[in-house]
């Protein structure tokens, strides 16, 4: 496995043959390595990958994993995954060979994560512990499925942490109206919050809206994209799930307000975002507006919860609500079950009525049987 030095640039390169997916030999050439060792390592790892041989370090396998998966995931999803691996997993596993990592190695890493404390003495949350373990296990699963690793040591070691449900806070309509009046002098924030509260859309969906998404002859808005700020760039992605692609009917007063807002947008094309602000801007306005209005502080995502809660109070079914907010109905039923108390009461009441009716029928039948029996006795 020779490596060659490019005298013009002072860098190293490798040139070798490897079989492609058809079985034919092809020449592979890679330039730009700063050292001979790096060039040879590239050639070795390339051949190891082609042979599905996991006699390589975890760090090198993660590079292969990145090549396989980065383009298949949403950019924000990949950046989150990459950050966790780079900062929490690679420092421990990077020099260990993939085919030599044991469940005991994973457990040692887990213990480090479980006892970790930052400079303020605060450890990782249970949810984050579970997320870190899941990311590690995901990499080993990939190695098992595509590169012939015999088993997943992270799965054998068992998970750590657990999913913690975040406390759900909601605003009543009265509380929201107090807040909206407090931000009335900031049009962009006001109209964005109006859309968030009265439609239940996600913040990323709201910030991706354009004029072209609104159909005022039908008073509808189309949700088919989401906004993210990634790597200092504005990025428009597909919505969170397939179910999130939907058309929402606007209440008449909100449709009229959005027409008023559009009249303020001078020089905007139909495809321009109508709320050209960031999520951090809305977080700031949410916090300052809450203080000014004298209402309890909630998260922006809690406006979505507030909308669902309002619809439940109005008597709409989980299926109808799910269609509006882009969820599965089972998720609505599960997540907001505590907001459906009247349903449980109604169920119990109806069961009481049915049971009482059955008992009455049973009593009547018993009396009729007695009358028949007496009549038969007298006749005999």
């Amino acid at each position: 496995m020779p490596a060659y030095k490019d005298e013009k640039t002072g860098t190293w390169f490798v040139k070798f043959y490897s079989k492609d997916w058809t079985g034919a030999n092809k020449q592979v050439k890679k330039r730009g390595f700063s050292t001979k060792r790096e060039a040879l390592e590239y050639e070795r790892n390339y051949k190891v990958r082609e042979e599905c041989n996991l006699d390589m370090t975890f760090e090198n396998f993660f590079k292969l994993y990145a090549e396989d998966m980065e383009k298949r995931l949403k950019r924000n999803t990949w950046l989150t995954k990459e950050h966790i691996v780079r900062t929490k997993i690679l420092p421990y596993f990077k020099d260990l060979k993939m085919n030599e990592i044991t469940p005991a190695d994973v457990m040692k890493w887990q213990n480090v994560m479980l006892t970790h404390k930052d400079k303020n003495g605060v450890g990782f949350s249970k949810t984050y512990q579970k997320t870190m373990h899941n990311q590690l296990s995901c990499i080993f699963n990939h190695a098992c499925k595509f590169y012939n690793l015999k088993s997943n040591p992270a799965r054998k070691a068992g998970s750590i942490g657990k999913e913690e449900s975040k406390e759900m806070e909601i605003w009543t309509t009265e509380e929201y109206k107090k807040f909206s009046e407090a931000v009335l002098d900031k049009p962009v924030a006001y109209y964005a919050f109006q859309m968030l509260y009265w439609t239940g859309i996600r913040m990323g969906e709201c910030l991706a809206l354009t004029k072209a998404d609104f159909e005022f002859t039908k008073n509808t808005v189309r949700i088919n994209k989401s906004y993210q700020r990634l790597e200092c760039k504005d990025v428009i992605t597909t919505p969170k799930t397939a179910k999130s692609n939907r058309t929402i009917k606007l209440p008449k007063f909100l449709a009229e307000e959005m027409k008023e807002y559009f009249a303020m947008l001078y020089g905007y094309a139909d495809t321009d975002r109508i709320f050209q602000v960031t999520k951090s801007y809305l977080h700031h306005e949410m916090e300052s507006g809450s203080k000014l209005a004298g209402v309890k502080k909630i998260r922006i995502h809690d406006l979505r919860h507030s909308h669902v809660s309002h619809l439940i109070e109005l008597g709409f079914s989980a299926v109808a609500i799910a269609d509006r907010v882009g969820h599965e109905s089972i998720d609505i039923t599960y997540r907001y079950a505590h907001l459906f108390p009247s349903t449980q009461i109604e169920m119990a009441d109806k069961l009481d009525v049915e049971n009482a009716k059955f008992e009455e029928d049973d009593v009547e039948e018993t009396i009729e049987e007695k009358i028949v029996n007496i009549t038969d006795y007298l006749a005999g």
Side-chain angles (χ1 to χ4, degrees):
M1 298 197 307
Y4 310 94
K5 189 169 186 178
D6 188 329
E7 298 299 337
K8 292 183 179 179
T9 62
T11 59
W12 292 80
F13 68 94
V14 286
K15 183 169 61 175
F16 56 92
Y17 284 91
S18 177
K19 290 184 178 180
D20 63 16
W21 65 276
T22 66
N25 273 332
K26 65 173 183 178
Q27 187 181 72
V28 179
K29 190 172 184 179
K30 182 73 172 179
R31 296 178 174 274
F33 298 101
S34 57
T35 66
K36 180 179 181 180
R37 181 180 177 181
E38 289 178 1
L40 292 174
E41 185 179 20
Y42 173 86
E43 180 180 353
R44 177 177 177 275
N45 287 335
Y46 188 96
K47 290 181 176 179
V48 163
R49 179 183 182 180
E50 294 300 306
E51 296 168 3
C52 292
N53 184 344
L54 289 180
D55 185 31
M56 66 170 74
T57 64
F58 183 93
E59 183 176 30
N60 284 328
F61 181 77
F62 181 67
K63 293 176 183 177
L64 302 184
Y65 177 82
E67 290 179 20
D68 290 343
M69 298 303 297
E70 186 174 358
K71 298 295 187 293
R72 297 171 180 264
L73 300 174
K74 286 187 176 181
R75 187 61 182 164
N76 57 320
T77 301
W78 173 255
L79 290 176
T80 299
K81 179 188 287 284
E82 190 273 339
H83 173 78
I84 291 174
V85 174
R86 178 170 45 82
T87 60
K88 308 301 186 305
I89 298 175
L90 277 179
Y92 189 93
F93 290 101
K94 66 178 182 179
D95 294 326
L96 300 180
K97 287 189 176 182
M98 283 292 293
N99 57 6
E100 295 179 358
I101 297 174
T102 66
D105 293 323
V106 175
M107 290 181 70
K108 290 177 183 177
W109 168 78
Q110 289 176 338
N111 289 334
V112 173
M113 297 301 103
L114 289 169
T115 57
H116 169 83
K117 295 288 187 296
D118 63 16
K119 61 182 180 181
N120 297 317
V122 179
F124 297 127
S125 70
K126 298 290 185 183
T127 299
Y128 197 68
Q129 290 170 4
K130 184 175 180 64
T131 300
M132 290 187 293
H133 179 272
N134 287 348
Q135 295 300 339
L136 176 63
S137 186
C138 190
I139 293 171
F140 284 122
N141 278 339
H142 190 79
C144 291
K145 188 172 183 179
F146 299 104
Y147 294 94
N148 298 331
L149 184 67
K150 291 182 179 179
S151 64
N152 180 344
R155 179 176 294 174
K156 288 186 176 181
S159 186
I160 57 173
K162 63 179 181 179
E163 193 83 29
E164 295 175 309
S165 57
K166 295 180 180 178
E167 186 177 354
M168 186 187 301
E169 295 277 1
I170 61 174
W171 274 342
T172 63
T173 302
E174 182 181 359
E175 288 174 313
Y176 173 71
K177 285 187 174 179
K178 287 182 180 179
F179 165 79
S180 64
E181 289 173 3
V183 296
L184 195 57
D185 60 334
K186 299 179 178 179
V188 176
Y190 171 78
Y191 289 105
F193 287 128
Q194 284 288 90
M195 286 296 299
L196 288 166
Y197 183 81
W198 293 109
T199 66
I201 59 178
R202 301 175 179 90
M203 179 162 50
E205 294 171 344
C206 182
L207 293 179
L209 289 174
T210 67
K211 285 185 176 182
D213 293 321
F214 290 79
E215 178 55 76
F216 290 121
T217 59
K218 298 178 181 178
N219 284 349
T220 60
V221 61
R222 175 186 59 197
I223 306 298
N224 63 358
K225 52 192 172 295
S226 184
Y227 165 85
Q228 303 283 340
R229 182 72 178 173
L230 301 174
E231 301 173 300
C232 300
K233 296 179 181 178
D234 292 334
V235 179
I236 300 298
T237 67
T238 55
K240 187 174 182 180
T241 65
K243 184 79 173 179
S244 299
N245 284 284
R246 62 202 188 278
T247 298
I248 299 174
K249 184 76 172 179
L250 302 174
K252 290 181 180 179
F253 76 86
L254 183 58
E256 292 301 321
E257 287 195 347
M258 293 311 296
K259 288 179 186 178
E260 294 172 3
Y261 179 59
F262 283 7
M264 304 177 191
L265 302 179
Y266 299 108
Y268 277 57
D270 286 348
T271 54
D272 290 338
R273 291 194 304 122
I274 60 173
F275 301 119
Q276 295 189 5
V277 295
T278 61
K279 292 182 178 181
S280 60
Y281 170 82
L282 290 183
H283 283 300
H284 177 267
E285 294 304 322
M286 184 86 165
E287 186 171 354
S288 60
S290 300
K291 289 180 181 178
L292 189 60
V295 296
K296 65 179 178 286
K297 180 183 175 182
I298 65 174
R299 302 168 303 164
I300 289 181
H301 193 70
D302 287 325
L303 293 177
R304 181 171 166 85
H305 296 318
S306 299
H307 183 69
V308 172
S309 173
H310 192 189
L311 295 179
I312 292 172
E313 287 180 3
L314 293 175
F316 291 100
S317 69
V319 174
I321 295 171
D323 286 341
R324 183 170 180 83
V325 299
H327 257 310
E328 295 293 340
S329 57
I330 192 171
D331 295 331
I332 295 293
T333 303
Y334 175 77
R335 189 163 195 181
Y336 300 94
H338 62 291
L339 298 179
F340 286 96
S342 60
T343 303
Q344 292 291 338
I345 295 171
E346 185 181 354
M347 286 178 182
D349 288 344
K350 286 188 176 181
L351 289 172
D352 278 333
V353 170
E354 288 298 313
N355 183 61
K357 182 180 178 182
F358 174 80
E359 289 181 347
E360 287 174 4
D361 291 342
D362 190 42
V363 169
E364 288 176 4
E365 184 179 354
T366 303
I367 292 173
E368 289 175 358
E369 287 176 352
K370 287 180 179 179
I371 293 172
V372 171
N373 290 336
I374 292 171
T375 302
D376 289 345
Y377 173 78
L378 293 174

